[in-house]
């Protein structure tokens, strides 16, 4: 099995990243409700980050152990951060 | 059984530098063909990601808890200009993987060319960031024109300003470190010291892609979220 992507796959990921970046900037200018916009922007950013990690950093071709070794320490603070920030916003909002 | 290849210095005749050559490295049951160097780089990147997590979570808590985030007189951040810088970093990531492909193919000239383009992308990003802060290049399209500092976004004056400079500056330091790292790899490629050792180019690439990955998140959280 190949240990990395083909040039065609690299260019495909590049095109996807460019399109997603344009979508992000366009989304900011659409006037969507803030909560929807935040969810959309974070989803697009996470998609881009996963593409970079899987294809450019070759995680797709690494073993499951290495993938989990990377994913768990990254996902844990992300979830913790969302909880902390949501709790802070909820405390500020009037009941 | 397939085996990856790593380079190890061999004993050299007295008075000579160690000779680097490739030796077979057995496939590991847990990490497959990943070399110890690659596993070490991943451990470093995960720990570095935790540093960025701390900054971004702190930013989120300060912003989420504030009633007024951007005070009167403080400029908004320029989304279009920063989107261009983001695109520049993405381009440099592509040139980095092309450098790795060329290294795997044993093409020294192409490896050096793609590495040089990657370094140029990093330098362009750094120049753009300095322009964003201080307005170094008059007439170059950005917002605000005098640079953020000139427009009143002063570190220490507000949580908005401080978290912005702390996070983007910390990332900028990583870009600078990446440029230095890639430059040393480029010099070694040009001197032929990395012939037959594409793994060294891949390791540098891991760091560079990580810098790109982090910027994708910083761009969204700091610049795009209204």
């Amino acid at each position: 099995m190949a240990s990395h992507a083909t040039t065609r796959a690299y260019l495909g990921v590049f095109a996807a990243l460019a399109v997603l970046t344009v979508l992000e900037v366009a989304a900011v200018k659409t006037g969507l409700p803030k909560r929807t916009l935040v969810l959309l922007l974070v989803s697009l950013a996470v998609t881009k980050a996963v593409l970079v990690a899987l294809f450019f950093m070759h995680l797709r071709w690494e073993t499951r152990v290495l993938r989990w070794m990377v994913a768990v320490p990254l996902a844990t603070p992300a979830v913790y951060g969302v909880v902390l920030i949501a709790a802070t916003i909820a405390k500020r909002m009037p009941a | 059984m397939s085996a990856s290849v790593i380079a190890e210095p061999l004993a050299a005749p007295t008075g000579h530098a160690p000779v680097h050559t490739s030796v077979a490295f057995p496939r590991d049951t847990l990490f497959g063909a990943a070399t110890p160097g690659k596993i070490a780089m991943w451990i470093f990147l995960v720990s570095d990601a935790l540093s960025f997590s701390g900054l971004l979570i702190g930013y989120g808590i300060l912003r989420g808890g504030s009633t007024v985030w951007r005070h009167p007189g403080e400029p908004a951040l320029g989304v279009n200009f920063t989107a261009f810088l983001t695109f520049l970093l993405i381009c440099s990531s592509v040139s980095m993987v092309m450098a790795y492909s060329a290294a795997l193919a044993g093409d020294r000239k192409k490896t050096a060319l793609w590495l040089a383009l990657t370094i140029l992308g990093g330098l362009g990003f750094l120049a753009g960031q300095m322009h964003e802060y201080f307005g170094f290049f008059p007439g170059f399209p950005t917002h605000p024109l005098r640079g953020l500092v000139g427009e009143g976004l002063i570190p220490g004056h507000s949580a908005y300003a401080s978290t912005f400079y702390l996070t983007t500056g910390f990332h900028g330091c990583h870009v600078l470190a990446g440029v230095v790292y890639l430059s040393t790899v480029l010099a070694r490629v040009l001197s032929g010291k990395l012939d037959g050792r594409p793994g060294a180019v891949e390791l540098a690439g891991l760091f560079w892609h990580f810098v790109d990955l982090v910027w994708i998140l910083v761009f969204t959280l700091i610049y795009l979220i209204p």
Side-chain angles (χ1 to χ4, degrees):
Chain A
M1 192 177 80
S3 63
H4 68 106
T6 60
T7 301
R8 193 174 173 181
Y10 284 144
L11 294 178
V13 173
F14 168 62
L17 291 172
V19 169
L20 290 172
T21 303
V22 171
L23 282 178
E24 284 177 329
V25 176
V28 173
K29 298 174 180 179
T30 54
L32 284 170
K34 188 171 179 179
R35 196 169 292 182
T36 309
L37 181 59
V38 170
L39 274 177
L40 177 64
L41 288 173
V42 170
S43 303
L44 288 170
V46 170
T47 304
K48 287 168 68 181
V50 168
L51 281 174
V52 170
L54 285 180
F55 290 91
F56 288 173
M57 301 175 88
H58 306 137
L59 265 187
R60 186 171 183 273
W61 290 272
E62 302 296 355
T63 60
R64 190 174 294 180
V65 171
L66 182 52
R67 286 203 294 264
W68 280 107
M69 190 184 91
V70 173
V72 171
L74 296 187
T76 307
V79 172
Y80 187 46
V82 168
V83 170
L84 285 177
I85 293 166
T88 308
I89 293 171
K91 194 176 175 185
R92 179 169 58 83
M93 296 290 191
Chain B
M1 188 178 79
S2 62
S4 64
V5 172
I6 62 169
E8 285 188 350
L10 299 179
T14 310
H16 291 78
V19 179
H20 289 271
T21 185
S22 297
V23 295
F25 186 76
R27 196 175 176 84
D28 185 81
T29 50
L30 291 179
F31 294 103
T35 60
K38 185 190 273 189
I39 296 167
M41 177 59 88
W42 270 113
I43 291 171
F44 164 70
L45 293 180
V46 167
S47 66
D48 207 17
L50 293 176
S51 303
F52 276 104
S53 299
L55 291 178
L56 291 173
I57 291 172
Y59 161 80
I61 289 172
L62 284 172
R63 186 171 177 180
S66 67
T67 49
V68 178
W69 182 239
R70 183 156 65 91
H71 294 279
E74 288 184 322
L77 304 175
V79 169
N80 291 341
F81 180 69
T82 320
F84 166 71
L85 295 184
T86 305
F87 183 70
L88 195 60
L89 265 195
I90 291 172
C91 289
S92 75
S93 259
V94 176
S95 57
M96 188 66 236
V97 287
M98 298 307 284
Y100 176 55
S101 286
L104 274 178
D107 191 331
R108 190 196 297 178
K109 273 188 183 173
K110 277 191 179 173
T111 306
L113 175 68
W114 287 115
L115 277 174
L117 286 174
T118 308
I119 292 166
L120 275 180
L123 289 172
F125 181 90
L126 287 172
Q129 197 170 42
M130 288 301 100
H131 179 56
E132 179 192 31
Y133 287 3
F134 305 110
F136 275 168
F137 311 107
F140 193 81
T142 181
H143 172 80
L145 287 171
R146 287 193 295 155
L148 292 169
V149 172
E151 294 287 332
L153 192 66
I154 313 294
H157 282 200
S158 67
Y160 167 53
S162 296
T163 53
F164 169 77
Y165 287 113
L166 179 62
T167 311
T168 58
F170 189 58
H171 177 269
C173 290
H174 279 71
V175 176
L176 181 61
V179 166
V180 173
Y181 184 7
L182 290 176
S183 298
T184 59
V185 172
L186 173 61
R188 289 168 67 80
V189 165
L190 287 172
S191 68
K193 287 179 181 168
L194 293 185
D195 285 355
R197 297 180 62 198
V201 178
E202 187 185 22
L203 287 191
L206 280 178
F207 181 79
W208 191 254
H209 298 311
F210 171 76
V211 169
D212 182 21
L213 190 155
V214 168
W215 181 255
I216 285 169
L217 300 176
V218 168
F219 176 56
T220 294
L221 297 175
I222 303 256
Y223 289 86
L224 293 180
I225 288 180

